[in-house]
Amino acid sequence: MTATQPGTRKSRRRDRAMVPEATFTSYYGRPIVKASPWTADIPAYLFLGGLAGASSLLAAGADLAGNTALRRPTRVTALVAILGSLAALVHDLGRPARFHHMLRVAKVTSPMSVGTWILTAYGPMAGLAAVAEAGRLLPRAVADGPVGRALPGAGRAAGAVAALLGPAVASYTAVLLSDTATPAWHDGRRDLPFVFVGSAAAAAGGMAMLATPTAHAGAARRMAVGGAVLDLAMSARMESAMGLSAEPMREGRAGTYRSAARVLTAGGAALAAVAGRRSRAGSALAGAALLAGSACTRFGIFHAGQQSARDPRYTVVAQRRRREAREE
Amino acid sequence: MSNHQDPATAVGYVDPPARKGFFTDTSVCIGCKACEVACKEWNAVPEDGMTLTGHSYDNSVGLGASTWRHVAFIEQPSEGKPPESPPNDDSAGAPAVGLGMPAMTRPGADTPAEERTPFRWLMESDVCKHCTHAACLDVCPTGALFRTEFGTVVVQDDICNGCGYCVPACPYGVIERREGPAGDDAVGLAQKCTLCYDRLKCDLEPACAKACPTQSIQFGDLDELRERADARVAALHGTGVADARLYGHDPDDGVGGTGAFFLLLDEPEVYGLPPDPVVTTRDLPQMWRGAALAAATLLAGAVAAFAGGARR
Ligand code: SF4
Ligand code: SF4
């Protein structure tokens, strides 16, 4: 093949030469696969879903441990985050009025369908658990009545179900991205679920550290630090296993988000471990950094995928290598 | 689903008609765009931007929500010798008289052979592949995308909610959410070639195939088209066109073979086609297992976070 055909492009030299240079041909440099039509709503939806799912775990744990100061804010966080997540999802639809068509079918081959059903089961449970927290706001007469007396138990049961569904809420979104022809999302499929649950734990732990007095936030701190470590380790592993499509993870908008995510997540985790127990301000700062880091992780991975779809190189070169390897 | 099963039967049609498809022979395409126009006319697909792209004669650029057939134009300096001068047999009649019209002589006849540039046009009319294993159909969460009795893949406008999931799922970059023009009924909905489902139902051939003046686009029973394609490739190889190859015809490829396949004269990526497409849902069981393991990890981590407190 001559090197002068339209669209032929040599890859730029990169400071970190992860992959050999690849000459390839394309149709006037036009993309081959289409980037998703999704906008900021979708990474926001991924972030909020993770925050909700992991918060439900903290809330159920706090409930069992009798830690009211941790249970209250985490239950409220779970509800607010899942509502925000759903709002972002519906807002992203080309025809939001047709959201209910998602409930026409249940398909395991469609992670979006599976996710819709997980959310349909999870949402009301997270909601009921949060409503149980409103019991103390009820007028005395109601609180002492049958409804008031049933609330804590109902909250505990609903919270337990939400906690069991929470991990699914946090992890299915990785399959949602990976089950596409978008090179950077598909190539990260093995590690992405672990990045996502790590990121979810860091976010939920961080949010709880912001909202809970330090004396009661021990479990939140441990979850936050553990989540941050998992997120950072699995992100690094994913990038080194991805091959060619790891490039867009480091470049452009995605690269900026991912650098920010690393700094915020690592910094937040370090601060949480060092000062989390002693200083209320330090704890809050660490929590905020972890939350922001988790959001940056989602936006970074989202944009890396979009970038990898827009450049035909990531589709053509990777597929040619695969084909050649098979033919050898 | 076994790899070689008829897709219509596989989804439960009892005794469906033979699987229908397209064989697009790009070696005879003249780039007239009759197929693009016929498709727009029949399917009432709106105009898709009238801008000039600055590359080649292609103004519609690629398949999308409002381009269901797309003719690619590849201007390509070819390898090898410049073309031979055509035999000049003007001696047979009266000498030609110049009327100021273009091309009184055969193209290239006035240029000595050694000065002619080795150059060729490749043209290819592209379309939705109607894959045997269609990722778009697999991932659609509403069931808006469905398999027809002809083995083709169609979107139902009244069901699609515009989630856009099919868009990044398609390994060929075919399907797209329509973004305009304002007021169009399908704005916000996924759109692509239906293989003229409505015409097939009435025993008519698709509009593009009907309009193609060179039979570059051939419509018919897929089995028969595959035989025809094999014969055509063999004939081309026989006349020395060694680069002729089929694309999408192999039921053992990553998508189980496509319902619309092509005879190409160069590598697929030259035409904007992926060299080794795979239906993304092939890896789905592995992905679900990974997600389940990650979920279990999170659950265990949460338990540990509380147990850690009990110890201290
Ligand atoms: S080419 Fe794309 S849009 Fe067409 S059937 Fe295959 S996956 Fe679906
Ligand atoms: S955009 Fe429409 S056709 Fe495409 S996956 Fe979503 S609901 Fe299905």
Side-chain angles (χ1 to χ4, degrees):
Chain A
M1 182 149 317
T2 57
T4 41
Q5 285 164 9
T8 301
R9 185 161 75 89
K10 278 211 153 188
S11 75
R12 293 148 276 161
R13 260 237 170 276
R14 289 162 212 281
D15 33 345
R16 267 174 296 174
M18 282 280 298
V19 281
E21 294 220 6
T23 309
F24 83 108
T25 328
S26 74
Y27 184 63
Y28 301 102
R30 292 282 165 181
I32 287 193
V33 294
K34 284 204 164 32
S36 76
W38 302 330
T39 54
D41 286 325
I42 292 298
Y45 152 76
L46 304 176
F47 163 69
L48 291 170
L51 176 61
S55 291
S56 285
L57 277 171
L58 275 179
D63 193 14
L64 289 175
N67 182 347
T68 314
L70 180 61
R71 191 195 68 210
R72 274 198 186 121
T74 46
R75 278 185 174 174
V76 173
T77 300
L79 175 61
V80 173
I82 206 64
L83 288 176
S85 163
L86 269 173
L89 179 61
V90 172
H91 181 244
D92 182 76
L93 291 182
R95 288 280 174 99
R98 294 183 174 178
F99 177 79
H100 64 275
H101 283 169
M102 295 262 205
L103 304 174
R104 283 176 76 241
V105 289
K107 293 167 77 174
V108 272
T109 60
S110 171
M112 192 166 306
S113 169
V114 173
T116 304
W117 288 105
I118 293 176
L119 292 179
T120 304
Y122 169 84
M125 292 298 136
L128 185 51
V131 165
E133 293 299 338
R136 66 199 166 110
L137 304 177
L138 295 174
R140 185 95 220 180
V142 182
D144 289 341
V147 173
R149 271 183 280 127
L151 263 184
R156 168 165 292 191
V161 177
L164 289 175
L165 290 168
V169 174
S171 69
Y172 91 83
T173 46
V175 185
L176 182 81
L177 292 189
S178 296
D179 192 28
T180 59
T182 299
W185 294 342
H186 193 67
D187 293 344
R189 63 186 176 276
R190 206 172 47 127
D191 299 307
L192 199 57
F194 295 91
V195 175
F196 274 20
V197 296
S199 177
M207 182 66 215
M209 285 168 68
L210 263 173
T212 315
T214 52
H216 301 281
R221 272 195 302 277
R222 285 185 290 276
M223 183 187 255
V225 174
V229 170
L230 184 66
D231 173 353
L232 292 169
M234 296 314 274
S235 286
R237 192 174 108 140
M238 179 171 80
E239 253 183 65
S240 65
M242 280 170 74
L244 193 62
S245 61
E247 271 175 26
M249 299 275 278
R250 291 190 280 266
E251 289 171 358
R253 210 152 28 136
T256 310
Y257 273 119
R258 298 202 18 91
S259 308
R262 261 196 303 277
V263 171
L264 288 164
T265 305
L271 187 60
V274 175
R277 195 178 339 187
R278 273 160 299 174
S279 149
R280 184 73 181 92
S283 179
L285 189 62
L290 287 165
L291 262 180
S294 174
C296 285
T297 296
R298 312 311 177 115
F299 276 83
I301 289 169
F302 173 74
H303 284 297
Q306 299 289 80
Q307 280 164 222
S308 74
R310 288 192 190 109
D311 189 338
R313 193 165 165 261
Y314 299 111
T315 302
V316 173
V317 177
Q319 291 192 10
R320 282 195 73 114
R321 282 196 191 136
R322 180 167 72 203
R323 199 179 64 185
E324 278 152 21
R326 205 171 48 226
E327 280 164 4
E328 263 164 24
Chain B
M1 194 193 297
S2 102
N3 225 16
H4 294 251
Q5 203 179 357
D6 175 70
T9 315
V11 297
Y13 286 100
V14 178
D15 208 12
R19 183 175 179 188
K20 297 289 189 285
F22 286 127
F23 165 43
T24 305
D25 177 354
T26 71
S27 69
V28 295
C29 175
I30 54 170
C32 67
K33 283 178 174 260
C35 51
E36 276 192 26
V37 175
C39 173
K40 278 200 191 270
E41 287 278 336
W42 180 263
N43 294 299
V45 176
E47 169 265 298
D48 194 15
M50 296 293 276
T51 48
L52 293 174
T53 55
H55 54 237
S56 196
Y57 284 91
D58 186 357
N59 65 325
S60 47
V61 175
L63 293 175
S66 299
T67 305
W68 294 356
R69 263 278 177 194
H70 166 249
V71 181
F73 291 76
I74 298 116
E75 292 178 34
Q76 199 178 60
S78 70
E79 287 157 287
K81 297 190 285 134
E84 286 294 312
S85 176
N88 193 337
D89 54 2
D90 283 349
S91 55
V97 180
L99 296 174
M101 304 288 280
M104 278 303 293
T105 52
R106 289 189 187 83
D110 288 341
T111 322
E114 56 294 343
E115 280 174 30
R116 265 176 246 147
T117 50
F119 178 87
R120 67 172 176 175
W121 278 99
L122 296 178
M123 292 150 197
E124 179 235 11
S125 179
D126 197 8
V127 71
C128 169
K129 314 300 179 289
H130 296 278
C131 311
T132 304
H133 303 306
C136 61
L137 195 158
D138 283 347
V139 305
C140 175
T142 60
L145 277 155
F146 74 104
R147 181 76 64 183
T148 72
E149 64 272 36
F150 304 105
T152 58
V153 178
V154 173
V155 197
Q156 302 174 80
D157 281 357
D158 54 342
I159 301 296
C160 170
N161 67 12
C163 71
Y165 199 12
C166 50
V167 177
C170 169
Y172 298 93
V174 169
I175 195 165
E176 191 182 38
R177 198 157 82 178
R178 187 172 286 168
E179 305 300 346
D184 183 272
D185 281 346
V187 166
L189 303 182
Q191 296 284 298
K192 72 169 191 73
C193 159
T194 65
L195 217 138
C196 287
Y197 188 37
D198 50 348
R199 292 176 63 96
L200 259 55
K201 285 239 174 212
C202 306
D203 274 330
L204 295 169
E205 67 179 321
C208 55
K210 183 92 186 161
C212 177
T214 63
Q215 296 193 357
S216 174
I217 300 174
Q218 301 178 27
F219 165 79
D221 293 355
L222 202 56
D223 288 337
E224 195 214 319
L225 290 176
R226 284 181 173 150
E227 275 166 33
R228 232 189 272 173
D230 285 336
R232 175 68 182 155
V233 173
L236 282 171
H237 286 173
T239 58
V241 188
D243 281 338
R245 74 203 67 196
L246 295 180
Y247 176 83
H249 64 301
D250 179 4
D252 291 316
D253 71 10
V255 299
T258 56
F261 66 102
F262 301 80
L263 187 154
L264 304 179
L265 297 175
D266 204 332
E267 298 289 338
E269 58 268 30
V270 168
Y271 299 89
L273 295 165
D276 186 29
V278 165
V279 56
T280 48
T281 38
R282 191 187 64 179
D283 300 315
L284 198 55
Q286 175 206 3
M287 291 188 250
W288 281 130
R289 276 197 297 277
L293 203 59
T297 306
L298 179 58
L299 190 61
V303 171
F306 283 94
R311 257 190 279 114
R312 251 172 273 165

